[in-house]
Amino acid sequence: MNNVKSKVALVRCFSYQQEEVEQALAKGLAFLGGFSNIFSAKPPAASSGDAADRSLTRDPEADRAGVMSGEPAGLPRRQITTESRLILKPNLLAKTDPDKACTTHPAVFHAVGKALQEAGYTNLKYGDSPGNPMIRVEKVAEECGIKQAADDLGIPMGDFEHGTQVGFAGRAADHFVLCNEVLAADGIINVCKMKTHQLERITGAMKNTFGCVFGINKGASHARFATAETFAKMIADLNLLVHPILHVMDGVVAMEGNGPQSGTPTPMNVLMLSTDPVALDAVFCHLVNLDPELVPTNVSGMEQGVGTFAEIEVLTEEGRMTPEEVGKKYGNKKFNVQRSKEFRGALKPVRFLKPFLEKKPVVKRKKCVGCGICVRACPVEGKAIEVSGGKAEYDYSKCIKCYCCQEMCPEEAITVKKSLLARIADRRWRL
Ligand code: SF4
Ligand code: SF4
């Protein structure tokens, strides 16, 4: 990264009233110089490199999983014009009511789509690859209110039901199976949600690109990149590959606690925009009193050249601010997010205690309805969770703590439990 500061626009927005959201978005876009200025920004150096680093290949395993091969359509790194084919990529993790703050609110999605159309960018599609590959994206979009918003604007859904394998010489990944729409588009507008995440602490702009990966391949990625750090490196690779041209974060009502699906909605009253997903996620961190350096996707994002969490200028209605000033002025110090340093860095001397400090997913038996969605979500061969006697049960000897089961449980029946020692450590080393 060069020394130019990444810009993040932050606008206050206190409700999902369509008019208020549209006005907030218009201000944020103006702070960044409007779409034409935003879309003229150069992609990160690592992603504008030699196309020889990437090649489309056909994978027999992927074919069996419903993945189609196809002609190389090129990745979205062309000059953006009003003719360009753009995708709106909301967070469509699961079939939930928008009021649960699990998915991008339709009012934000609608405002972004409408603003693009009014600026002349009318060749739009939308979509995402939901967490549960057995559920069609259209059904998820309908339940989340996104389909209705898209229909209202006349924006059709893109092809997120098929994928193509793309080779990529990344830091962690050597290939991705991307949804075909991602390959066909000239640019992605990442309309992400401000939420907590059990593996990566937060899921914001960086992690939302994971929905560009086709269906069941997301589960396989969790198994392949099983730690928070390796998973984050893969996410940074993915961001370099698909590099959305704009990130809009719905932080009007965020999710805290047991995210990304079973947490608690909490108002943060902000809409944020940036071309740098690391900077955007870092400002999210400052708003919730979390050290950006503790978020693995921020660290890998900066190391791998996606963006910066150190050199940021926040553009607000009250002028230019530092992320620290923004955190103090607009943040919520008590936002429920993992702040413990865990046993990296300063805590290395007591690393032998690690097994006693690890958290693990647990089933709340009263809430479990035995649907088996968690079992299907588990990426481990032989499964680390199964339904027995109508209730889900863990085999912790197989569990890699990826939390896909917790992420996908529709009944909020899975929580993440810390040992007493871990809770004490968390309090002791809380920032
Ligand atoms: S834990 Fe959740 S996803 Fe798993 S069987 Fe129970 S209700 Fe279904
Ligand atoms: S049981 Fe849950 S946390 Fe453990 S490996 Fe399977 S999906 Fe991941």
Side-chain angles (χ1 to χ4, degrees), residues 110-146:
H110 193 284
V112 177
K114 187 176 168 194
L116 281 163
Q117 288 177 335
E118 286 178 352
Y121 300 92
T122 53
N123 189 3
L124 304 177
K125 296 211 174 177
Y126 79 100
D128 189 16
S129 176
N132 185 345
M134 311 309 282
I135 302 178
R136 297 201 63 184
V137 58
E138 201 163 358
K139 290 278 166 217
V140 178
E142 201 171 332
E143 187 84 14
C144 300
I146 294 289

PDB file of all heavy atoms in Angstrom, residues 110-146:
ATOM      1  N   HIS A 110     -32.077  -1.301  -1.671  1.00  0.00           N
ATOM      2  CA  HIS A 110     -32.912  -0.531  -2.603  1.00  0.00           C
ATOM      3  C   HIS A 110     -32.269   0.825  -2.892  1.00  0.00           C
ATOM      4  O   HIS A 110     -32.222   1.275  -4.044  1.00  0.00           O
ATOM      5  CB  HIS A 110     -34.314  -0.356  -1.995  1.00  0.00           C
ATOM      6  CG  HIS A 110     -35.339   0.149  -2.972  1.00  0.00           C
ATOM      7  ND1 HIS A 110     -35.403   1.466  -3.374  1.00  0.00           N
ATOM      8  CD2 HIS A 110     -36.357  -0.488  -3.620  1.00  0.00           C
ATOM      9  CE1 HIS A 110     -36.401   1.617  -4.237  1.00  0.00           C
ATOM     10  NE2 HIS A 110     -36.999   0.438  -4.410  1.00  0.00           N
ATOM     11  N   ALA A 111     -31.773   1.472  -1.828  1.00  0.00           N
ATOM     12  CA  ALA A 111     -31.177   2.799  -1.999  1.00  0.00           C
ATOM     13  C   ALA A 111     -29.950   2.725  -2.915  1.00  0.00           C
ATOM     14  O   ALA A 111     -29.755   3.590  -3.781  1.00  0.00           O
ATOM     15  CB  ALA A 111     -30.786   3.376  -0.641  1.00  0.00           C
ATOM     16  N   VAL A 112     -29.124   1.689  -2.739  1.00  0.00           N
ATOM     17  CA  VAL A 112     -27.923   1.560  -3.565  1.00  0.00           C
ATOM     18  C   VAL A 112     -28.315   1.307  -5.031  1.00  0.00           C
ATOM     19  O   VAL A 112     -27.784   1.936  -5.951  1.00  0.00           O
ATOM     20  CB  VAL A 112     -26.996   0.436  -3.033  1.00  0.00           C
ATOM     21  CG1 VAL A 112     -25.788   0.257  -3.951  1.00  0.00           C
ATOM     22  CG2 VAL A 112     -26.530   0.737  -1.613  1.00  0.00           C
ATOM     23  N   GLY A 113     -29.267   0.380  -5.227  1.00  0.00           N
ATOM     24  CA  GLY A 113     -29.719   0.071  -6.592  1.00  0.00           C
ATOM     25  C   GLY A 113     -30.302   1.301  -7.283  1.00  0.00           C
ATOM     26  O   GLY A 113     -29.979   1.590  -8.446  1.00  0.00           O
ATOM     27  N   LYS A 114     -31.115   2.036  -6.540  1.00  0.00           N
ATOM     28  CA  LYS A 114     -31.764   3.217  -7.123  1.00  0.00           C
ATOM     29  C   LYS A 114     -30.732   4.300  -7.467  1.00  0.00           C
ATOM     30  O   LYS A 114     -30.786   4.925  -8.533  1.00  0.00           O
ATOM     31  CB  LYS A 114     -32.791   3.764  -6.122  1.00  0.00           C
ATOM     32  CG  LYS A 114     -33.654   4.871  -6.659  1.00  0.00           C
ATOM     33  CD  LYS A 114     -34.698   5.275  -5.635  1.00  0.00           C
ATOM     34  CE  LYS A 114     -35.376   6.573  -6.035  1.00  0.00           C
ATOM     35  NZ  LYS A 114     -36.136   7.169  -4.947  1.00  0.00           N
ATOM     36  N   ALA A 115     -29.773   4.502  -6.559  1.00  0.00           N
ATOM     37  CA  ALA A 115     -28.734   5.520  -6.807  1.00  0.00           C
ATOM     38  C   ALA A 115     -27.923   5.170  -8.058  1.00  0.00           C
ATOM     39  O   ALA A 115     -27.599   6.047  -8.866  1.00  0.00           O
ATOM     40  CB  ALA A 115     -27.826   5.638  -5.590  1.00  0.00           C
ATOM     41  N   LEU A 116     -27.604   3.895  -8.213  1.00  0.00           N
ATOM     42  CA  LEU A 116     -26.857   3.470  -9.403  1.00  0.00           C
ATOM     43  C   LEU A 116     -27.674   3.737 -10.663  1.00  0.00           C
ATOM     44  O   LEU A 116     -27.168   4.284 -11.653  1.00  0.00           O
ATOM     45  CB  LEU A 116     -26.523   1.975  -9.307  1.00  0.00           C
ATOM     46  CG  LEU A 116     -25.338   1.611  -8.400  1.00  0.00           C
ATOM     47  CD1 LEU A 116     -25.362   0.134  -8.044  1.00  0.00           C
ATOM     48  CD2 LEU A 116     -24.005   1.961  -9.077  1.00  0.00           C
ATOM     49  N   GLN A 117     -28.934   3.341 -10.620  1.00  0.00           N
ATOM     50  CA  GLN A 117     -29.780   3.542 -11.804  1.00  0.00           C
ATOM     51  C   GLN A 117     -29.899   5.024 -12.144  1.00  0.00           C
ATOM     52  O   GLN A 117     -29.813   5.404 -13.310  1.00  0.00           O
ATOM     53  CB  GLN A 117     -31.163   2.942 -11.551  1.00  0.00           C
ATOM     54  CG  GLN A 117     -31.159   1.416 -11.546  1.00  0.00           C
ATOM     55  CD  GLN A 117     -32.514   0.825 -11.221  1.00  0.00           C
ATOM     56  OE1 GLN A 117     -33.348   1.461 -10.570  1.00  0.00           O
ATOM     57  NE2 GLN A 117     -32.744  -0.412 -11.646  1.00  0.00           N
ATOM     58  N   GLU A 118     -30.089   5.852 -11.122  1.00  0.00           N
ATOM     59  CA  GLU A 118     -30.238   7.289 -11.377  1.00  0.00           C
ATOM     60  C   GLU A 118     -28.950   7.901 -11.937  1.00  0.00           C
ATOM     61  O   GLU A 118     -28.991   8.914 -12.631  1.00  0.00           O
ATOM     62  CB  GLU A 118     -30.667   7.998 -10.090  1.00  0.00           C
ATOM     63  CG  GLU A 118     -32.132   7.708  -9.764  1.00  0.00           C
ATOM     64  CD  GLU A 118     -32.618   8.333  -8.467  1.00  0.00           C
ATOM     65  OE1 GLU A 118     -31.803   8.886  -7.704  1.00  0.00           O
ATOM     66  OE2 GLU A 118     -33.828   8.245  -8.205  1.00  0.00           O
ATOM     67  N   ALA A 119     -27.829   7.268 -11.623  1.00  0.00           N
ATOM     68  CA  ALA A 119     -26.544   7.764 -12.162  1.00  0.00           C
ATOM     69  C   ALA A 119     -26.254   7.170 -13.541  1.00  0.00           C
ATOM     70  O   ALA A 119     -25.188   7.420 -14.113  1.00  0.00           O
ATOM     71  CB  ALA A 119     -25.423   7.433 -11.188  1.00  0.00           C
ATOM     72  N   GLY A 120     -27.176   6.352 -14.047  1.00  0.00           N
ATOM     73  CA  GLY A 120     -27.019   5.816 -15.406  1.00  0.00           C
ATOM     74  C   GLY A 120     -26.499   4.396 -15.479  1.00  0.00           C
ATOM     75  O   GLY A 120     -26.349   3.839 -16.564  1.00  0.00           O
ATOM     76  N   TYR A 121     -26.192   3.800 -14.324  1.00  0.00           N
ATOM     77  CA  TYR A 121     -25.681   2.410 -14.314  1.00  0.00           C
ATOM     78  C   TYR A 121     -26.889   1.466 -14.232  1.00  0.00           C
ATOM     79  O   TYR A 121     -27.356   1.124 -13.149  1.00  0.00           O
ATOM     80  CB  TYR A 121     -24.733   2.190 -13.130  1.00  0.00           C
ATOM     81  CG  TYR A 121     -23.539   3.106 -13.156  1.00  0.00           C
ATOM     82  CD1 TYR A 121     -23.563   4.333 -12.491  1.00  0.00           C
ATOM     83  CD2 TYR A 121     -22.389   2.766 -13.862  1.00  0.00           C
ATOM     84  CE1 TYR A 121     -22.469   5.193 -12.534  1.00  0.00           C
ATOM     85  CE2 TYR A 121     -21.290   3.619 -13.906  1.00  0.00           C
ATOM     86  CZ  TYR A 121     -21.343   4.829 -13.248  1.00  0.00           C
ATOM     87  OH  TYR A 121     -20.268   5.686 -13.290  1.00  0.00           O
ATOM     88  N   THR A 122     -27.403   1.086 -15.350  1.00  0.00           N
ATOM     89  CA  THR A 122     -28.666   0.339 -15.371  1.00  0.00           C
ATOM     90  C   THR A 122     -28.492  -1.150 -15.681  1.00  0.00           C
ATOM     91  O   THR A 122     -29.445  -1.906 -15.615  1.00  0.00           O
ATOM     92  CB  THR A 122     -29.623   0.952 -16.427  1.00  0.00           C
ATOM     93  OG1 THR A 122     -28.929   1.012 -17.673  1.00  0.00           O
ATOM     94  CG2 THR A 122     -30.058   2.350 -16.018  1.00  0.00           C
ATOM     95  N   ASN A 123     -27.277  -1.549 -16.018  1.00  0.00           N
ATOM     96  CA  ASN A 123     -27.036  -2.961 -16.337  1.00  0.00           C
ATOM     97  C   ASN A 123     -26.692  -3.712 -15.043  1.00  0.00           C
ATOM     98  O   ASN A 123     -25.550  -4.082 -14.790  1.00  0.00           O
ATOM     99  CB  ASN A 123     -25.897  -3.063 -17.353  1.00  0.00           C
ATOM    100  CG  ASN A 123     -25.736  -4.473 -17.899  1.00  0.00           C
ATOM    101  OD1 ASN A 123     -26.503  -5.374 -17.561  1.00  0.00           O
ATOM    102  ND2 ASN A 123     -24.722  -4.665 -18.729  1.00  0.00           N
ATOM    103  N   LEU A 124     -27.714  -3.865 -14.208  1.00  0.00           N
ATOM    104  CA  LEU A 124     -27.490  -4.386 -12.856  1.00  0.00           C
ATOM    105  C   LEU A 124     -28.085  -5.773 -12.680  1.00  0.00           C
ATOM    106  O   LEU A 124     -29.124  -6.092 -13.255  1.00  0.00           O
ATOM    107  CB  LEU A 124     -28.136  -3.448 -11.816  1.00  0.00           C
ATOM    108  CG  LEU A 124     -27.722  -1.977 -11.831  1.00  0.00           C
ATOM    109  CD1 LEU A 124     -28.522  -1.196 -10.784  1.00  0.00           C
ATOM    110  CD2 LEU A 124     -26.238  -1.841 -11.559  1.00  0.00           C
ATOM    111  N   LYS A 125     -27.431  -6.568 -11.852  1.00  0.00           N
ATOM    112  CA  LYS A 125     -27.989  -7.839 -11.374  1.00  0.00           C
ATOM    113  C   LYS A 125     -27.668  -7.913  -9.894  1.00  0.00           C
ATOM    114  O   LYS A 125     -26.935  -7.081  -9.366  1.00  0.00           O
ATOM    115  CB  LYS A 125     -27.378  -9.018 -12.116  1.00  0.00           C
ATOM    116  CG  LYS A 125     -27.706  -9.006 -13.598  1.00  0.00           C
ATOM    117  CD  LYS A 125     -27.786 -10.379 -14.170  1.00  0.00           C
ATOM    118  CE  LYS A 125     -28.264 -10.290 -15.618  1.00  0.00           C
ATOM    119  NZ  LYS A 125     -28.300 -11.561 -16.288  1.00  0.00           N
ATOM    120  N   TYR A 126     -28.229  -8.901  -9.225  1.00  0.00           N
ATOM    121  CA  TYR A 126     -27.901  -9.042  -7.812  1.00  0.00           C
ATOM    122  C   TYR A 126     -27.839 -10.514  -7.449  1.00  0.00           C
ATOM    123  O   TYR A 126     -28.306 -11.381  -8.206  1.00  0.00           O
ATOM    124  CB  TYR A 126     -28.937  -8.322  -6.935  1.00  0.00           C
ATOM    125  CG  TYR A 126     -30.232  -9.082  -6.733  1.00  0.00           C
ATOM    126  CD1 TYR A 126     -30.459  -9.797  -5.555  1.00  0.00           C
ATOM    127  CD2 TYR A 126     -31.210  -9.117  -7.718  1.00  0.00           C
ATOM    128  CE1 TYR A 126     -31.633 -10.500  -5.358  1.00  0.00           C
ATOM    129  CE2 TYR A 126     -32.381  -9.827  -7.535  1.00  0.00           C
ATOM    130  CZ  TYR A 126     -32.605 -10.512  -6.352  1.00  0.00           C
ATOM    131  OH  TYR A 126     -33.749 -11.221  -6.170  1.00  0.00           O
ATOM    132  N   GLY A 127     -27.293 -10.788  -6.273  1.00  0.00           N
ATOM    133  CA  GLY A 127     -27.267 -12.167  -5.793  1.00  0.00           C
ATOM    134  C   GLY A 127     -26.214 -12.387  -4.738  1.00  0.00           C
ATOM    135  O   GLY A 127     -25.421 -11.485  -4.415  1.00  0.00           O
ATOM    136  N   ASP A 128     -26.232 -13.596  -4.201  1.00  0.00           N
ATOM    137  CA  ASP A 128     -25.292 -14.014  -3.172  1.00  0.00           C
ATOM    138  C   ASP A 128     -25.364 -15.530  -3.117  1.00  0.00           C
ATOM    139  O   ASP A 128     -26.314 -16.137  -3.621  1.00  0.00           O
ATOM    140  CB  ASP A 128     -25.703 -13.409  -1.817  1.00  0.00           C
ATOM    141  CG  ASP A 128     -24.650 -13.612  -0.723  1.00  0.00           C
ATOM    142  OD1 ASP A 128     -23.495 -13.935  -1.063  1.00  0.00           O
ATOM    143  OD2 ASP A 128     -24.985 -13.433   0.460  1.00  0.00           O
ATOM    144  N   SER A 129     -24.386 -16.147  -2.522  1.00  0.00           N
ATOM    145  CA  SER A 129     -24.433 -17.585  -2.299  1.00  0.00           C
ATOM    146  C   SER A 129     -24.719 -17.788  -0.811  1.00  0.00           C
ATOM    147  O   SER A 129     -23.846 -17.541   0.014  1.00  0.00           O
ATOM    148  CB  SER A 129     -23.081 -18.191  -2.686  1.00  0.00           C
ATOM    149  OG  SER A 129     -23.076 -19.556  -2.384  1.00  0.00           O
ATOM    150  N   PRO A 130     -25.947 -18.186  -0.462  1.00  0.00           N
ATOM    151  CA  PRO A 130     -26.310 -18.281   0.961  1.00  0.00           C
ATOM    152  C   PRO A 130     -25.484 -19.334   1.680  1.00  0.00           C
ATOM    153  O   PRO A 130     -24.862 -20.213   1.058  1.00  0.00           O
ATOM    154  CB  PRO A 130     -27.789 -18.689   0.934  1.00  0.00           C
ATOM    155  CG  PRO A 130     -28.245 -18.464  -0.453  1.00  0.00           C
ATOM    156  CD  PRO A 130     -27.048 -18.588  -1.328  1.00  0.00           C
ATOM    157  N   GLY A 131     -25.510 -19.282   3.019  1.00  0.00           N
ATOM    158  CA  GLY A 131     -24.734 -20.222   3.813  1.00  0.00           C
ATOM    159  C   GLY A 131     -25.148 -21.663   3.592  1.00  0.00           C
ATOM    160  O   GLY A 131     -24.303 -22.556   3.546  1.00  0.00           O
ATOM    161  N   ASN A 132     -26.438 -21.906   3.471  1.00  0.00           N
ATOM    162  CA  ASN A 132     -26.937 -23.270   3.267  1.00  0.00           C
ATOM    163  C   ASN A 132     -27.104 -23.532   1.775  1.00  0.00           C
ATOM    164  O   ASN A 132     -28.022 -23.002   1.141  1.00  0.00           O
ATOM    165  CB  ASN A 132     -28.277 -23.442   3.985  1.00  0.00           C
ATOM    166  CG  ASN A 132     -28.794 -24.868   3.903  1.00  0.00           C
ATOM    167  OD1 ASN A 132     -28.310 -25.666   3.081  1.00  0.00           O
ATOM    168  ND2 ASN A 132     -29.762 -25.195   4.733  1.00  0.00           N
ATOM    169  N   PRO A 133     -26.218 -24.358   1.177  1.00  0.00           N
ATOM    170  CA  PRO A 133     -26.274 -24.557  -0.269  1.00  0.00           C
ATOM    171  C   PRO A 133     -27.516 -25.319  -0.727  1.00  0.00           C
ATOM    172  O   PRO A 133     -27.787 -25.384  -1.924  1.00  0.00           O
ATOM    173  CB  PRO A 133     -25.002 -25.365  -0.555  1.00  0.00           C
ATOM    174  CG  PRO A 133     -24.647 -26.025   0.729  1.00  0.00           C
ATOM    175  CD  PRO A 133     -25.152 -25.143   1.822  1.00  0.00           C
ATOM    176  N   MET A 134     -28.270 -25.899   0.214  1.00  0.00           N
ATOM    177  CA  MET A 134     -29.464 -26.645  -0.160  1.00  0.00           C
ATOM    178  C   MET A 134     -30.669 -25.716  -0.386  1.00  0.00           C
ATOM    179  O   MET A 134     -31.695 -26.137  -0.879  1.00  0.00           O
ATOM    180  CB  MET A 134     -29.835 -27.672   0.929  1.00  0.00           C
ATOM    181  CG  MET A 134     -28.688 -28.537   1.401  1.00  0.00           C
ATOM    182  SD  MET A 134     -27.784 -29.309   0.056  1.00  0.00           S
ATOM    183  CE  MET A 134     -28.892 -30.633  -0.348  1.00  0.00           C
ATOM    184  N   ILE A 135     -30.536 -24.468   0.015  1.00  0.00           N
ATOM    185  CA  ILE A 135     -31.657 -23.523  -0.145  1.00  0.00           C
ATOM    186  C   ILE A 135     -31.358 -22.592  -1.313  1.00  0.00           C
ATOM    187  O   ILE A 135     -30.257 -22.031  -1.402  1.00  0.00           O
ATOM    188  CB  ILE A 135     -31.880 -22.700   1.137  1.00  0.00           C
ATOM    189  CG1 ILE A 135     -32.165 -23.646   2.322  1.00  0.00           C
ATOM    190  CG2 ILE A 135     -33.034 -21.718   0.972  1.00  0.00           C
ATOM    191  CD1 ILE A 135     -32.362 -22.940   3.635  1.00  0.00           C
ATOM    192  N   ARG A 136     -32.333 -22.433  -2.179  1.00  0.00           N
ATOM    193  CA  ARG A 136     -32.119 -21.589  -3.360  1.00  0.00           C
ATOM    194  C   ARG A 136     -32.008 -20.120  -2.952  1.00  0.00           C
ATOM    195  O   ARG A 136     -32.737 -19.647  -2.073  1.00  0.00           O
ATOM    196  CB  ARG A 136     -33.266 -21.783  -4.355  1.00  0.00           C
ATOM    197  CG  ARG A 136     -33.336 -23.200  -4.883  1.00  0.00           C
ATOM    198  CD  ARG A 136     -34.091 -23.247  -6.157  1.00  0.00           C
ATOM    199  NE  ARG A 136     -33.401 -22.461  -7.183  1.00  0.00           N
ATOM    200  CZ  ARG A 136     -33.879 -22.267  -8.404  1.00  0.00           C
ATOM    201  NH1 ARG A 136     -35.032 -22.797  -8.750  1.00  0.00           N
ATOM    202  NH2 ARG A 136     -33.214 -21.560  -9.278  1.00  0.00           N
ATOM    203  N   VAL A 137     -31.099 -19.430  -3.611  1.00  0.00           N
ATOM    204  CA  VAL A 137     -30.833 -18.040  -3.253  1.00  0.00           C
ATOM    205  C   VAL A 137     -32.094 -17.180  -3.402  1.00  0.00           C
ATOM    206  O   VAL A 137     -32.330 -16.247  -2.638  1.00  0.00           O
ATOM    207  CB  VAL A 137     -29.637 -17.476  -4.069  1.00  0.00           C
ATOM    208  CG1 VAL A 137     -29.869 -17.565  -5.548  1.00  0.00           C
ATOM    209  CG2 VAL A 137     -29.348 -16.056  -3.679  1.00  0.00           C
ATOM    210  N   GLU A 138     -32.941 -17.533  -4.375  1.00  0.00           N
ATOM    211  CA  GLU A 138     -34.168 -16.756  -4.595  1.00  0.00           C
ATOM    212  C   GLU A 138     -35.080 -16.812  -3.369  1.00  0.00           C
ATOM    213  O   GLU A 138     -35.698 -15.819  -2.988  1.00  0.00           O
ATOM    214  CB  GLU A 138     -34.888 -17.310  -5.821  1.00  0.00           C
ATOM    215  CG  GLU A 138     -35.835 -16.303  -6.406  1.00  0.00           C
ATOM    216  CD  GLU A 138     -36.250 -16.657  -7.819  1.00  0.00           C
ATOM    217  OE1 GLU A 138     -35.768 -17.672  -8.344  1.00  0.00           O
ATOM    218  OE2 GLU A 138     -37.062 -15.898  -8.363  1.00  0.00           O
ATOM    219  N   LYS A 139     -35.156 -17.994  -2.753  1.00  0.00           N
ATOM    220  CA  LYS A 139     -35.998 -18.160  -1.555  1.00  0.00           C
ATOM    221  C   LYS A 139     -35.443 -17.327  -0.401  1.00  0.00           C
ATOM    222  O   LYS A 139     -36.185 -16.711   0.360  1.00  0.00           O
ATOM    223  CB  LYS A 139     -36.029 -19.642  -1.132  1.00  0.00           C
ATOM    224  CG  LYS A 139     -36.802 -20.525  -2.081  1.00  0.00           C
ATOM    225  CD  LYS A 139     -38.299 -20.423  -1.779  1.00  0.00           C
ATOM    226  CE  LYS A 139     -39.138 -21.017  -2.889  1.00  0.00           C
ATOM    227  NZ  LYS A 139     -40.379 -20.321  -3.162  1.00  0.00           N
ATOM    228  N   VAL A 140     -34.118 -17.346  -0.274  1.00  0.00           N
ATOM    229  CA  VAL A 140     -33.485 -16.567   0.803  1.00  0.00           C
ATOM    230  C   VAL A 140     -33.744 -15.074   0.565  1.00  0.00           C
ATOM    231  O   VAL A 140     -34.141 -14.338   1.472  1.00  0.00           O
ATOM    232  CB  VAL A 140     -31.969 -16.855   0.876  1.00  0.00           C
ATOM    233  CG1 VAL A 140     -31.305 -16.017   1.956  1.00  0.00           C
ATOM    234  CG2 VAL A 140     -31.720 -18.338   1.139  1.00  0.00           C
ATOM    235  N   ALA A 141     -33.548 -14.645  -0.688  1.00  0.00           N
ATOM    236  CA  ALA A 141     -33.735 -13.225  -1.018  1.00  0.00           C
ATOM    237  C   ALA A 141     -35.173 -12.786  -0.758  1.00  0.00           C
ATOM    238  O   ALA A 141     -35.425 -11.653  -0.327  1.00  0.00           O
ATOM    239  CB  ALA A 141     -33.360 -12.991  -2.482  1.00  0.00           C
ATOM    240  N   GLU A 142     -36.106 -13.698  -0.989  1.00  0.00           N
ATOM    241  CA  GLU A 142     -37.527 -13.375  -0.786  1.00  0.00           C
ATOM    242  C   GLU A 142     -37.807 -13.166   0.699  1.00  0.00           C
ATOM    243  O   GLU A 142     -38.427 -12.190   1.100  1.00  0.00           O
ATOM    244  CB  GLU A 142     -38.365 -14.533  -1.337  1.00  0.00           C
ATOM    245  CG  GLU A 142     -39.783 -14.133  -1.656  1.00  0.00           C
ATOM    246  CD  GLU A 142     -40.500 -15.249  -2.411  1.00  0.00           C
ATOM    247  OE1 GLU A 142     -39.851 -16.038  -3.120  1.00  0.00           O
ATOM    248  OE2 GLU A 142     -41.721 -15.318  -2.239  1.00  0.00           O
ATOM    249  N   GLU A 143     -37.320 -14.099   1.512  1.00  0.00           N
ATOM    250  CA  GLU A 143     -37.563 -14.025   2.962  1.00  0.00           C
ATOM    251  C   GLU A 143     -36.902 -12.771   3.563  1.00  0.00           C
ATOM    252  O   GLU A 143     -37.430 -12.181   4.499  1.00  0.00           O
ATOM    253  CB  GLU A 143     -36.981 -15.288   3.621  1.00  0.00           C
ATOM    254  CG  GLU A 143     -37.304 -15.439   5.081  1.00  0.00           C
ATOM    255  CD  GLU A 143     -38.662 -16.076   5.335  1.00  0.00           C
ATOM    256  OE1 GLU A 143     -39.232 -16.632   4.388  1.00  0.00           O
ATOM    257  OE2 GLU A 143     -39.118 -16.003   6.495  1.00  0.00           O
ATOM    258  N   CYS A 144     -35.757 -12.407   3.013  1.00  0.00           N
ATOM    259  CA  CYS A 144     -35.015 -11.262   3.570  1.00  0.00           C
ATOM    260  C   CYS A 144     -35.512  -9.917   3.035  1.00  0.00           C
ATOM    261  O   CYS A 144     -34.997  -8.867   3.435  1.00  0.00           O
ATOM    262  CB  CYS A 144     -33.528 -11.373   3.227  1.00  0.00           C
ATOM    263  SG  CYS A 144     -32.767 -12.862   3.866  1.00  0.00           S
ATOM    264  N   GLY A 145     -36.467  -9.954   2.109  1.00  0.00           N
ATOM    265  CA  GLY A 145     -37.021  -8.709   1.554  1.00  0.00           C
ATOM    266  C   GLY A 145     -36.184  -8.133   0.421  1.00  0.00           C
ATOM    267  O   GLY A 145     -36.525  -7.096  -0.152  1.00  0.00           O
ATOM    268  N   ILE A 146     -35.073  -8.788   0.089  1.00  0.00           N
ATOM    269  CA  ILE A 146     -34.191  -8.254  -0.961  1.00  0.00           C
ATOM    270  C   ILE A 146     -34.816  -8.452  -2.345  1.00  0.00           C
ATOM    271  O   ILE A 146     -34.730  -7.568  -3.213  1.00  0.00           O
ATOM    272  CB  ILE A 146     -32.804  -8.932  -0.882  1.00  0.00           C
ATOM    273  CG1 ILE A 146     -32.094  -8.551   0.425  1.00  0.00           C
ATOM    274  CG2 ILE A 146     -31.952  -8.595  -2.102  1.00  0.00           C
ATOM    275  CD1 ILE A 146     -31.617  -7.126   0.529  1.00  0.00           C
TER     276      ILE A 146
END
